[in-house]
């Protein structure tokens, strides 16, 4: 396929995004606009200066600047604008469904009410569905560098909004904060009817992925790259059909891989792992969903069948109900039959 044919094919391919932190879709332009609107002083003079600061050597480097950027988000309107900007980009990329992470503790710790965050994000989701036909679900992430008590307090704040929340996850600094630290609060969330996911194996060792699977019994693994270091764990993930929400440009920007040509995505597919492609924090890592597909496809020579498998995995691994999954998969089949 030529580059243009590849882009046309992937853009048209119906696909879902399952790993995207909404705070990570805050583009520098919107950051400046919201800073001005809210009277927040940024430590940057220009959009170019912000972009120049986006050179990371690991996850923590990125997180420090990401939490700082989120400081401009104060009102429900801010969260709505943020969400809508993301959904517009997703729709332009041919994305038709998204399950987006949000980090309530980043906001409640600054005095923004939990309800304000939910109000804004759900307003953005409703408008995206009406105007763009894009569906979405919310996943509340607990910050794992904070303690269990803080996670329990956040779950308590979420209780009035459970109808708007599909699941909970674990994000932020992975190493030193294994899934086991949050086993009780994740179980409490599951008892409330929520799905459970966790970042594991992004920078953390295979032991963290084992914990996520065996102890937490997660519904998906976010990243999972380092699981490949353990053949027994890999076999288990294949056997259980665990979906991995892989983020190639994120892995490149956070130096998990030195070049996309060395990215494990193709190997994951060949091993039979249910891998998907996602953007993680697109405003910080230089590409939204389509760009992640395209750059990875070019670097790894992904075939048409592999691209179709990635798109299928994004729906089978989603939290849509079975009838909706079947409808979305039929949409992929129809697309492939005519392209
Ligand atoms: N929060 C936002 N992006 C993240 C990532 N890639 N890993 C862990 N926490 C995050
Ligand atoms: Zn992530």
């Amino acid at each position: 396929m030529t580059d243009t044919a590849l882009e046309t094919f992937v853009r048209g391919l119906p696909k879902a995004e399952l790993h995207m932190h909404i705070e990570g879709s805050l583009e520098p332009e919107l950051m400046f606009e919201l800073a001005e609107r809210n009277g927040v002083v940024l430590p940057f003079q220009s959009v170019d200066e912000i972009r120049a600061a986006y050179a990371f050597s690991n996850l923590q480097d990125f997180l420090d600047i990401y939490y700082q950027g989120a400081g401009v988000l104060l009102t429900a309107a801010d969260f709505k604008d943020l969400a809508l900007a993301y959904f517009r980009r997703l729709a332009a990329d041919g994305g038709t469904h998204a399950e987006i992470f949000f980090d309530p503790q980043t906001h409640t710790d600054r005095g923004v009410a939990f309800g304000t965050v939910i109000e804004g994000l759900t307003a953005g989701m409703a408008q995206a569905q009406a105007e763009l036909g894009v569906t979405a679900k919310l996943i509340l992430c607990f910050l794992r560098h904070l303690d269990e008590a803080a996670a329990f307090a956040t779950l308590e704040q979420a209780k009035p909004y459970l109808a708007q929340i599909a699941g909970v996850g674990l994000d932020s600094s992975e190493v030193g904060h294994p899934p086991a630290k949050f086993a009780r609060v994740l179980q409490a969330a599951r008892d409330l009817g929520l799905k459970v996911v966790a970042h594991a194996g992004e920078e953390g060792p295979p032991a963290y992925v084992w914990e996520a699977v065996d102890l937490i019994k997660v519904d998906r693994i976010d990243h999972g790259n380092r699981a490949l270091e353990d053949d027994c764990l890999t076999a288990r993930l294949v056997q259980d059909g665990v979906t991995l929400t892989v983020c190639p440009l994120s892995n490149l920007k956070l130096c998990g891989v030195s070049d996309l040509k060395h990215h494990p995505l193709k190997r994951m597919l060949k091993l039979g792992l249910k891998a998907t492609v996602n953007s993680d924090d697109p405003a910080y890592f230089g590409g939204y969903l389509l760009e992640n597909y395209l750059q990875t496809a070019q670097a790894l020579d992904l075939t048409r069948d592999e691209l179709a498998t990635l798109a299928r995995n994004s729906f089978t691994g989603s939290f849509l109900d079975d009838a909706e999954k079947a409808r979305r998969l039929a949409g992929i089949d129809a697309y492939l039959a005519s392209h």
Side-chain angles (χ1 to χ4, degrees):
M1 261 191 263
T2 64
D3 287 357
T4 332
L6 175 69
E7 178 169 345
T8 306
F9 173 71
V10 179
R11 193 187 296 280
L13 184 63
K15 51 203 173 292
E17 174 144 73
L18 304 180
H19 184 157
M20 204 289 301
H21 304 259
I22 196 66
E23 295 88 350
S25 70
L26 178 58
E27 291 288 344
E29 289 80 1
L30 184 57
M31 196 188 291
F32 260 105
E33 191 182 320
L34 297 183
E36 203 154 292
R37 192 200 278 180
N38 293 326
V40 174
V41 179
L42 288 173
F44 303 105
Q45 299 304 313
S46 68
V47 163
D48 286 345
E49 206 183 299
I50 297 188
R51 287 225 160 82
Y54 293 176
F56 314 114
S57 27
N58 55 42
L59 175 59
Q60 194 60 50
D61 260 11
F62 154 70
L63 289 171
D64 292 342
I65 206 159
Y66 158 89
Y67 293 129
Q68 184 178 63
V72 301
L73 297 160
L74 289 179
T75 68
D78 300 340
F79 287 95
K80 180 182 177 187
D81 289 351
L82 175 69
L84 257 184
Y86 164 70
F87 288 125
R88 291 199 172 108
R89 294 293 295 257
L90 181 70
D93 282 0
T96 56
H97 177 68
E99 301 189 351
I100 62 180
F101 295 129
F102 70 110
D103 287 344
Q105 288 156 296
T106 300
H107 313 302
T108 54
D109 286 356
R110 297 180 291 115
V112 177
F114 190 99
T116 300
V117 181
I118 295 284
E119 185 194 332
L121 295 179
T122 54
M125 288 159 64
Q127 193 169 329
Q129 173 139 30
E131 286 180 8
L132 307 164
V134 168
T135 54
K137 292 181 185 288
L138 283 178
I139 300 175
L140 180 171
C141 276
F142 299 115
L143 298 181
R144 66 201 306 161
H145 67 273
L146 301 179
D147 63 18
E148 185 200 39
F152 265 112
T154 302
L155 185 61
E156 204 53 41
Q157 290 176 318
K159 283 187 180 167
Y161 307 101
L162 290 182
Q164 279 95 282
I165 299 172
V168 295
L170 265 192
D171 70 359
S172 194
S173 322
E174 185 184 5
V175 174
H177 303 285
K181 177 178 167 187
F182 296 95
R184 295 190 305 182
V185 70
L186 294 173
Q187 182 58 48
R190 193 189 295 289
D191 292 343
L192 292 170
L194 296 167
K195 300 282 190 188
V196 177
V197 299
H199 283 55
E202 180 184 18
E203 286 188 343
Y208 287 19
V209 183
W210 274 117
E211 265 183 29
V213 173
D214 271 345
L215 179 68
I216 311 293
K217 304 195 180 354
V218 287
D219 295 293
R220 294 199 289 252
I221 295 277
D222 297 314
H223 296 290
N225 301 32
R226 291 198 56 195
L228 294 186
E229 294 169 22
D230 179 335
D231 291 344
C232 199
L233 174 59
T234 303
R236 171 70 183 282
L237 295 173
V238 171
Q239 188 192 335
D240 288 3
V242 178
T243 296
L244 305 183
T245 64
V246 180
C247 306
L249 286 176
S250 166
N251 299 148
L252 181 66
K253 291 289 152 66
L254 301 186
C255 305
V257 290
S258 58
D259 189 301
L260 278 185
K261 285 192 166 30
H262 306 135
H263 195 281
L265 184 73
K266 194 171 178 106
R267 197 147 46 96
M268 288 171 165
L269 292 174
K270 283 189 189 301
L271 286 164
L273 287 162
K274 292 247 177 299
T276 61
V277 165
N278 307 273
S279 67
D280 207 1
D281 300 281
Y284 291 87
F285 300 148
Y288 285 75
L289 185 60
L290 180 62
E291 201 56 32
N292 272 272
Y293 270 87
L294 295 180
Q295 289 198 30
T296 313
Q298 281 157 342
L300 300 176
D301 256 327
L302 295 181
T303 64
R304 178 186 154 97
D305 279 355
E306 286 169 330
L307 291 165
T309 297
L310 289 166
R312 282 201 186 91
N313 289 349
S314 75
F315 289 109
T316 52
S318 76
F319 297 144
L320 292 166
D321 66 34
D322 287 347
E324 193 56 31
K325 281 185 191 176
R327 213 176 63 75
R328 306 292 183 119
L329 293 172
I332 293 180
D333 290 341
Y335 179 77
L336 293 174
S338 60
H339 290 82

